[in-house]
Amino acid sequence: MDAALVDAYLSRLGAGHPAAPTSDALRELQLRHLGNVPFENLSIHLGEKIVLEEERLVEKVVGARRGGFCYELNGAFGALLTALGFDVTLLAARVYGEEGKLGIPYDHLALRVRTADGGDWLTDVGFGALSHHPLVFGERGEQADPGGTLRITEASAPAPEPYADLDVVRDGKPQYRLELRPRVLGDFLAGAWWHSTSPASHFTRSLVCSRLTGDGGRITLSGRTLTTTALDGAREVRDLDSDEEVLAVYRDRFGIALGSVPAVREPSGAAGE
């Protein structure tokens, strides 16, 4: 990323250029990313190809002013942080699903970020609802966050050192199992393909667009249902009747300009065979 693209990305976040790659700077950038770049899976249902290449990911977030799901959001954010001088490592995770079962390998992409002031952080802007702020990577006790009570724990069946797995837990419920082996974007191609094509993936079966709000709550558009959740958990749910209403919410609440209302597309089925 050149200087002009870094500036454009920071402008997308409403952030100034940090004086140094510090823990405070990382904390602000993560929060701004969560509030300005939505978690969304619209590309899957708009017939847009998902390309896990740094230039394409940054272009989607900055040039097209879109969001994405984990591989796209954390991939692009990792590129920005690296350009700003942070030490960034891509990590793979498997997400906990129903009945506590783990998902596929390369199910999720998260970031380990080391800062100039000695910080070592788990940073994630691509999981939907998790922590608002980076988590201290080496801390094994509870970490209070506006998004809930978080904890990073040793996995119950750890892998051999030095790559023992960790579980990331929110409000007592495991969210994903994190592998410590460093990865590159290309490692996640199979996971991104599966999630964007398989009938078994929840991303192919539903539409979602979600971001943090300025007061620490969350706004989510699932198909035609708009849900506004306050920081205290109070929820307001409203069904949108017209295409005009849906397009206006995408535009005014998420900054996404669409020519037509996206609809769930039938997956090819190839990934589930």
Side-chain angles (χ1 to χ4, degrees), residues 120-193:
D120 187 5
W121 304 92
L122 175 63
T123 298
D124 197 335
V125 297
F127 194 69
L130 192 67
S131 65
H132 295 192
H133 304 135
L135 301 176
V136 180
F137 205 92
E139 172 60 53
R140 297 294 174 260
E142 292 184 348
Q143 301 188 50
D145 183 272
T149 300
L150 281 296
R151 189 168 184 176
I152 301 173
T153 68
E154 303 292 339
S156 56
E161 295 290 351
Y163 298 120
D165 294 344
L166 301 173
D167 280 340
V168 178
V169 180
R170 175 176 177 262
D171 293 335
K173 182 178 180 181
Q175 302 297 303
Y176 55 75
R177 178 158 293 182
L178 192 68
E179 301 174 7
L180 300 190
R181 186 183 299 276
R183 301 296 182 182
V184 296
L185 270 176
D187 292 335
F188 296 89
L189 289 173
W193 173 79

Side-chain angles (χ1 to χ4, degrees), residues 6 22 34 37 39 47 54 56 60 69 79 102 121 132 150 154 189 193 204 210 236 247 264 272:
V6 168
T22 63
L34 290 168
V37 183
F39 178 90
E54 180 180 302
R56 294 285 291 273
K60 183 176 182 180
F69 58 167
L102 287 168
W121 304 92
H132 295 192
L150 281 296
E154 303 292 339
L189 289 173
W193 173 79
T204 64
S210 182
E236 178 184 332
L247 292 175
V264 173

